[in-house]
């Protein structure tokens, strides 16, 4: 299949790029005073302002034509219908089924997957309610006070991000911890102040073979047994979330305490499946349902809205515009909400593991730049760290600002100060400060070049009324489908992750070499590092 770059639609976009590339955001706003209220789109509770981008109406028309030519809509429909669009693993991609309302139907290979999803959700809810109401007790009869999720990647980042995001909705009488790193200090610090008699571990792993998770799970079992002294304690203090029932049973977890999901849920698309059990324990089943409804609302928007007003498609296309026409390499995601502190890390996996690909779905070189480097942290902290580079550095860094209007628990004037900063940064980035403006402030001429802000730095601003389970679901689905849109345009498979395998295999080979005294058999650098490690460890 010819790539999108070989199409007439791409040629038209490239020609348009040549004509608009030098146009400044100041010019665009001067030419169209209504721009700030017309280059906007809404879906559910999310308002997207994309006016501060280097584009005009023609750009959107041309980008939409590219999307149609690339078959974004047909691939989207294929996903929603359960077709096996994850071609390298021969799997359906059905995270949208995880939030399909009860009673709807989606038959895949003769099975109604929506009914299966709700069966697991019901089991999760029953379990969560028992724990939350003190009916599920530990081995010694005491109620559960701490939940520790053990998982990594998609089995960690989603529930970790969402449990922080929705802390205002959580049962504050319980403690929630997340252990992911194989570095033993992660486990030690997470459990240091916990009591085995009141701690429940959730071992979350799609495969139940991941080195980090299994190592931590075994340490957790040893920690529990050291405190409780009896193998039978495992049944009361460990539950599993996995697609691998055999491995769960082999670990010693009662299959009755396993919550399943399916191979058509990718790890990075899974926190609204049973992988979100820790989140459900924190916020309760009703709030979890509200979150699923938020996801579904955005799914429906993505499925039905025309490209030109489809939020995920617009964001995906704007990313393509910068990545493939302007040559931007990164995307900064800057949420102005401390509750969203883990969102950038979550989006790193979602975007970079999905679209960090260099061959097409057919295995040919993709021939164009693909997924961006995603980075960021909660505002306003970044302003006092790296924003300098965005404002006055030499790189083009498109930015997503995310803001929440109402604080969960307002105190003083914090929220207005936070939002003032959220609004000020995109304005400063877009419009900067000219030499004339600097001179008018009476700045000495030799200082002036340092005080000029070139401006013309593009950004989107996403605003929501408040951070709730529903708006979080909408936001995450927005990014999921943005990533989908871009993968479809580049014709890459956004749903596999073969690139993480080589490092895992090499680590397995190195483990015994660290223990042995024999000569390691790698390149000279790795061999020398292995020898140095042996030496340092022995000192
Ligand atoms: O790092 C690769 C990966 O497979 C991710 O895609 C996944 O989210 C993570 O490892 C954890 O995998 P599992 O849930 O099987 O332990």
């Amino acid at each position: 299949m010819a790539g999108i770059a070989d199409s007439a639609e791409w040629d038209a976009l490239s020609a348009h790029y040549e004509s608009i590339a030098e146009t400044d955001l100041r010019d665009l706003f001067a030419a169209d005073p209504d721009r700030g209220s017309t280059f906007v789109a809404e879906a559910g509770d999310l308002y997207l302002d994309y006016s501060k981008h280097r584009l005009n109406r023609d750009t959107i028309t041309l980008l939409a034509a590219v999307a149609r030519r690339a078959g974004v809509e047909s691939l989207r429909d294929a996903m929603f219908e359960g077709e096996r669009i994850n071609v390298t693993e021969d799997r359906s991609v059905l995270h949208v089924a995880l939030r399909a309302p009860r009673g709807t139907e989606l038959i895949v290979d003769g099975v109604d997957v929506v009914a299966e999803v709700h069966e697991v959700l019901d089991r999760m809810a029953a379990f969560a309610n028992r724990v939350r109401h003190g009916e599920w007790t530990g081995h010694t009869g005491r109620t559960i006070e701490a939940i520790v999720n053990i998982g990594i990647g998609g089995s960690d980042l989603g529930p970790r991000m969402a449990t922080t995001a929705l802390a205002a909705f959580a049962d504050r009488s319980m403690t929630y911890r997340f252990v992911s790193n194989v570095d033993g200090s992660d486990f030690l610090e997470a459990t240091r102040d916990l009591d085995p008699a009141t701690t429940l571990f959730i071992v979350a792993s799609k495969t139940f073979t991941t080195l980090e998770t299994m190592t931590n799970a075994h340490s957790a079992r040893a920690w529990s047994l050291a405190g409780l002294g009896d193998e039978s304690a495992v049944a009361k203090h460990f539950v599993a979330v996995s697609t691998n029932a055999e491995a769960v049973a082999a670990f010693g977890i009662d299959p009755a305490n396993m919550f399943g999901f399916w191979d058509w849920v990718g790890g990075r698309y899974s926190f609204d499946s049973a992988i979100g059990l820790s989140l459900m324990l924190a916020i309760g089943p009703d709030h979890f349902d509200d979150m699923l409804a938020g996801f579904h609302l955005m799914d429906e928007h993505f499925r039905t809205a025309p490209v030109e007003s489809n939020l995920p498609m617009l964001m995906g296309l704007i990313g393509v515009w910068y990545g493939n026409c302007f040559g931007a390499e990164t995307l900064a995601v800057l949420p102005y909400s401390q509750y969203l502190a883990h969102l950038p890390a979550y989006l790193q996996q979602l975007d970079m593991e999905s679209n960090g690909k260099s061959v097409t779905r057919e295995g040919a070189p993709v021939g164009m730049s693909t997924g961006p480097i995603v980075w960021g942290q909660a505002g306003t902290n970044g302003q006092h760290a790296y924003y300098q580079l965005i404002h006055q550095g030499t790189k083009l860094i498109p930015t997503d600002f995310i803001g929440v209007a109402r604080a969960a628990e307002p105190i003083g004037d914090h929220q207005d100060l936070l939002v003032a900063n959220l609004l000020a940064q995109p304005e400063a980035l877009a419009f900067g400060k000219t030499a004339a403006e600097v001179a008018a402030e009476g700045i000495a001429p030799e200082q002036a070049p340092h005080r000029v802000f070139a401006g013309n730095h593009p950004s989107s601003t996403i605003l929501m009324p408040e951070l709730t389970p529903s708006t979080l679901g909408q936001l995450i689905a927005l990014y999921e489908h943005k990533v989908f849109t871009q993968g479809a345009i580049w014709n890459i498979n956004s749903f596999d992750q073969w690139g993480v395998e080589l490092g895992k295999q090499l680590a397995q080979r190195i483990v015994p070499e660290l223990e042995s005294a024999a000569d390691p058999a790698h390149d000279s650098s790795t061999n020398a590092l292995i020898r140095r490690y042996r030496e340092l460890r022995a000192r």
Side-chain angles (χ1 to χ4, degrees):
M1 175 178 163
I4 191 66
D6 293 325
S7 65
E9 287 79 0
W10 191 265
D11 288 345
L13 183 71
S14 302
H16 169 71
Y17 165 73
E18 296 301 332
S19 72
I20 200 176
E22 299 305 319
T23 310
D24 199 278
L25 283 168
R26 287 193 201 96
D27 304 330
L28 291 169
F29 273 82
D32 176 4
D34 289 335
R35 191 177 164 88
S37 52
T38 52
F39 282 75
V40 298
E42 279 182 77
D45 294 306
L46 304 189
Y47 174 87
L48 169 69
D49 173 354
Y50 61 98
S51 63
K52 296 191 190 80
H53 282 294
R54 298 193 205 170
L55 48 76
N56 60 21
R57 280 282 155 234
D58 290 344
T59 322
I60 297 299
T61 303
L62 292 164
L63 283 167
V66 163
R68 293 197 170 96
R69 174 61 186 257
V72 172
E73 292 156 302
S74 53
L75 192 71
R76 171 200 63 191
D77 295 346
M79 171 175 75
F80 276 90
E81 278 155 25
E83 283 180 35
R84 293 172 183 264
I85 63 167
N86 176 355
V87 284
T88 60
E89 296 178 314
D90 192 25
R91 289 176 184 166
S92 306
V93 173
L94 272 176
H95 43 276
V96 291
L98 297 172
R99 49 268 191 155
R102 193 183 292 274
T104 56
E105 207 178 60
L106 178 60
I107 308 293
V108 176
D109 297 333
V111 176
D112 179 6
V113 296
V114 179
E116 288 196 342
V117 163
H118 283 276
E119 205 180 298
V120 175
L121 283 170
D122 288 344
R123 284 188 58 228
M124 288 166 63
F127 174 73
N129 281 334
R130 284 183 71 196
V131 174
R132 288 165 61 85
H133 299 155
E135 292 155 21
W136 175 287
T137 52
H139 185 59
T140 64
R142 291 176 62 193
T143 54
I144 299 299
E145 291 168 5
I147 309 292
V148 181
N149 188 79
I150 298 177
I152 196 164
S155 302
D156 165 72
L157 291 163
R160 185 194 290 263
M161 176 276 294
T163 303
T164 304
L166 300 177
F169 297 82
D171 175 349
R172 305 278 191 167
S173 69
M174 288 202 290
T175 299
Y176 310 97
R177 300 271 164 83
F178 293 85
V179 177
S180 53
N181 200 327
V182 75
D183 181 343
S185 58
D186 198 14
F187 178 78
L188 284 176
E189 293 303 329
T191 52
R192 193 177 287 286
D193 58 346
L194 301 184
D195 179 348
T198 57
T199 299
L200 176 73
F201 289 98
I202 300 173
V203 185
S205 174
K206 182 174 171 182
T207 56
F208 228 74
T209 57
T210 304
L211 171 93
E212 293 89 339
T213 301
M214 297 326 295
T215 306
N216 279 317
H218 283 285
S219 297
R221 188 163 63 175
W223 179 86
S224 280
L225 296 186
L228 300 169
D230 187 340
E231 274 287 333
S232 64
V234 172
K236 303 299 279 179
H237 293 271
F238 284 80
V239 299
V241 179
S242 187
T243 57
N244 186 348
E246 270 175 36
V248 169
F251 181 86
I253 295 177
D254 183 347
N257 298 335
M258 171 181 149
F259 300 87
F261 59 115
W262 307 268
D263 70 357
W264 42 258
V265 185
R268 53 194 174 274
Y269 298 89
S270 69
F271 90 82
D272 48 345
S273 71
I275 289 290
L277 184 62
S278 51
L279 172 68
M280 190 191 270
L281 281 158
I283 64 174
D286 290 346
H287 286 134
F288 199 88
D289 279 352
D290 290 346
M291 182 184 78
L292 295 180
F295 269 100
H296 181 66
L297 188 158
M298 188 57 70
D299 293 342
E300 284 303 285
H301 168 78
F302 179 57
R303 195 174 64 80
T304 57
V307 179
E308 293 81 354
S309 54
N310 191 305
L311 261 68
M313 290 195 193
L314 280 170
M315 285 177 62
L317 289 167
I318 290 169
V320 166
W321 178 234
Y322 289 113
N324 297 116
C325 296
F326 287 86
E329 295 278 344
T330 82
L331 171 71
V333 180
L334 308 172
Y336 277 64
S337 161
Q338 193 59 30
Y339 285 127
L340 291 175
H342 295 305
L343 182 70
Y346 172 79
L347 293 180
Q348 280 178 332
Q349 189 201 14
L350 177 65
D351 205 325
M352 295 166 79
E353 204 171 73
S354 295
N355 285 345
K357 310 287 163 65
S358 53
V359 296
T360 64
R361 290 154 60 82
E362 294 78 28
V366 70
M368 61 203 306
S369 182
T370 58
I373 301 159
V374 178
W375 59 284
Q377 66 167 307
T380 60
N381 298 12
Q383 291 175 205
H384 299 274
Y386 50 72
Y387 277 38
Q388 166 66 34
L389 185 146
I390 314 181
H391 281 289
Q392 287 190 313
T394 53
K395 296 180 173 54
L396 173 64
I397 301 177
T399 303
D400 287 354
F401 288 93
I402 301 171
V404 177
R406 294 193 292 276
E409 288 177 65
I411 49 167
D413 56 359
H414 283 247
Q415 188 64 11
D416 281 352
L417 291 173
L418 176 68
V419 173
N421 276 279
L422 161 74
L423 301 179
Q425 292 298 329
E427 183 181 9
L429 286 169
F431 304 111
K433 194 191 272 188
T434 63
E437 286 165 346
V438 171
E441 286 175 357
I443 304 293
E446 66 276 13
Q447 277 285 323
H450 304 282
R451 310 291 184 98
V452 167
F453 287 66
N456 207 24
H457 297 294
S459 66
S460 296
T461 302
I462 299 168
L463 270 184
M464 66 185 87
E466 53 190 334
L467 186 58
T468 64
S470 170
T471 56
L472 181 72
Q474 294 172 45
L475 183 70
I476 299 306
L478 169 64
Y479 276 96
E480 286 178 350
H481 299 321
K482 180 217 100 155
V483 167
F484 179 98
T485 299
Q486 296 185 334
I489 288 172
W490 296 318
N491 187 31
I492 56 179
N493 182 4
S494 302
F495 304 103
D496 61 13
Q497 57 284 321
W498 299 106
V500 299
E501 293 305 320
L502 178 60
K504 285 188 196 172
Q505 286 160 13
L506 288 175
Q508 293 290 8
R509 208 176 115 194
I510 291 173
V511 171
E513 293 176 318
L514 299 181
E515 299 297 330
S516 134
D519 272 349
H522 300 263
D523 59 275
S524 61
S525 162
T526 309
N527 287 344
L529 288 165
I530 290 173
R531 287 196 201 95
R532 177 59 63 116
Y533 171 73
R534 288 173 178 167
E535 203 183 298
L536 290 173
R537 193 185 51 181
R539 260 185 223 168

